[in-house]
Amino acid sequence: MREQSAETDRPVEQEFLSVIREYERVIYKVCYLYANPNAPLNDLYQDVVLNLWKAYPKFRKECKISTWIYRIALNTCISFYRKEKNIPEIVSLTKEIDWSIEAHDPVNEMLKQLYRMINQLGQLDKSIILLYLEEKSYEEIAEITGLTVTNVATKLSRIKDKLKKMKKED
């Protein structure tokens, strides 16, 4: 009886692994924005994949798979961040050395600066700008975050203004 159950689960496992492979970059991008010394990138990624696996049988295909993945990834990272928030930050002594290794690439420097500024935003703003940078429509962002389309547009405008202000101050 047990063997039969394992055989019937294989197609689901294969389907799930295929979805994870297809959206691996998306999951890493979300995790990258929330990663810090107390919440390493690989830990976040592993938590997201685990939560996706737990939720996969309940996925009803009422929305796009990418929308569903973003929603779970963002919720997992935000929850992880909230749990780890009270742990003191560990500062690496080699942090400056790591940043200087790739300092010669201006595009890399601009991306690092953008991510540093985005990391200073609140959780919801960080999620919205990430989805915007992933070229999600306002409707998709609204569906993922649970906001209205109008609210998404307003928040995006304010987020862009904040980032411009941060850039000027930097």
Side-chain angles (χ1 to χ4, degrees), residues 9-93:
D9 285 346
R10 283 198 180 112
V12 173
E13 287 175 21
Q14 293 303 319
E15 185 180 323
F16 176 76
L17 289 173
S18 174
V19 167
I20 294 301
R21 274 187 229 108
E22 184 178 346
Y23 291 96
E24 183 177 41
R25 284 187 54 233
V26 167
I27 298 168
Y28 267 114
K29 282 182 182 179
V30 172
C31 293
Y32 181 79
L33 273 181
Y34 289 91
N36 63 49
N38 296 325
L41 178 63
N42 289 332
D43 289 357
L44 286 174
Y45 182 84
Q46 189 174 20
D47 272 9
V48 169
V49 172
L50 177 63
N51 286 338
L52 287 167
W53 172 247
K54 288 177 183 176
Y56 193 69
K58 298 173 196 138
F59 178 55
R60 295 175 295 208
K61 297 179 173 85
E62 292 174 353
C63 63
K64 289 187 201 174
I65 187 94
S66 62
T67 300
W68 178 77
I69 288 172
Y70 269 113
R71 189 177 299 149
I72 289 179
L74 287 168
N75 287 336
T76 301
C77 289
I78 289 169
S79 295
F80 197 100
Y81 176 80
R82 284 181 184 149
K83 280 188 259 177
E84 301 296 321
K85 191 175 172 182
N86 297 325
I87 296 175
E89 184 177 346
I90 300 167
V91 179
S92 169
L93 296 175

